[in-house]
Amino acid sequence: MSSVPESKDELLTAINSIFPKLMEDYQSVPASMARKCEIEGNVKGTQISVCDTVAYLIGWGNLVLKWHSLKSQGLPVVFPDTGYKWNQLGLLAVSFHDQYRDWQYEDLLQELDSTINKLILLVASLSNEELYETTWYEKWTFGRMIQFNTSSPMKNMRAKVRRFNKNNKLR
């Protein structure tokens, strides 16, 4: 399998192979440490917490679900989101952190699990043609748009969380 999924099956495999490992890494972080800001943030020079990495993944996952919902109803979609341009993804990340700032760590993990499961069900419900053989946004297929916002950032966040765990002698 190539590092970039090129079919529905490869996309599902990519998400299903990284997600349980990521959740295991998250579960080894005690809630008492989940808000410690020791992880390199999306905005240069910032430090974020483990909770913020979870919020980031929830935020992007929900955005993908929103894009699909609007588009499938024939409604206009603002990419990446209302009030943000593609060159403002750091600010969008910060908005996700703010949105989930007051959530308990356990609740964030449950929300992430729920969001990723909705995305897996969405991918499973679409054909390979809908995901990879049709241009969905500019030059990108919907499969690629999903991958950009699920398996790719999950790998990135997993590396950051593992580093946090190692630095804090967790596991």
Side-chain angles (χ1 to χ4, degrees):
M1 184 174 132
S2 71
S3 59
V4 175
E6 292 173 16
S7 70
K8 172 181 174 169
D9 289 344
E10 288 181 6
L11 180 60
L12 286 170
T13 300
I15 296 170
N16 285 319
S17 61
I18 187 73
F19 186 57
K21 294 174 190 161
L22 176 65
M23 285 305 273
E24 206 174 292
D25 293 326
Y26 278 140
Q27 279 150 359
S28 63
V29 177
S32 61
M33 294 179 75
R35 291 266 174 212
K36 268 178 88 170
C37 292
E38 293 183 357
I39 295 172
E40 185 188 332
N42 299 82
V43 175
K44 199 170 169 57
T46 63
Q47 296 274 298
I48 61 172
S49 68
V50 171
C51 285
D52 291 331
T53 69
V54 181
Y56 178 88
L57 294 171
I58 295 168
W60 276 107
N62 282 327
L63 216 43
V64 171
L65 293 166
K66 176 177 146 183
W67 296 340
H68 180 263
S69 172
L70 290 170
K71 219 169 157 116
S72 59
Q73 296 172 68
L75 297 169
V77 183
V78 177
F79 290 98
D81 200 9
T82 308
Y84 297 93
K85 295 185 172 29
W86 286 113
N87 65 356
Q88 297 177 306
L89 297 184
L91 293 173
L92 184 55
V94 171
S95 79
F96 296 147
H97 304 162
D98 290 344
Q99 188 179 345
Y100 295 99
R101 175 87 47 237
D102 301 327
W103 284 47
Q104 295 299 311
Y105 187 49
E106 272 307 305
D107 296 336
L108 277 172
L109 293 181
Q110 284 179 349
E111 183 70 11
L112 178 60
D113 191 59
S114 164
T115 303
I116 298 305
N117 281 312
K118 286 177 196 160
L119 285 160
I120 290 168
L121 288 171
L122 174 61
V123 171
S125 75
L126 298 170
S127 66
N128 194 67
E129 185 182 356
E130 290 170 296
L131 287 164
Y132 282 96
E133 296 165 29
T134 318
T135 307
W136 195 81
Y137 168 71
E138 291 184 354
K139 64 179 180 170
W140 306 107
T141 63
F142 191 40
R144 282 288 275 169
M145 294 294 283
I146 294 171
Q147 175 247 317
F148 285 144
N149 298 299
T150 57
S151 58
S152 290
M154 280 186 219
K155 282 181 189 149
N156 181 18
M157 291 306 171
R158 182 165 188 237
K160 291 180 177 192
V161 172
R162 287 173 70 92
R163 196 172 312 124
F164 175 89
N165 287 352
K166 191 173 172 215
N167 293 344
N168 286 282
K169 299 179 175 42
L170 301 171
R171 284 178 85 176

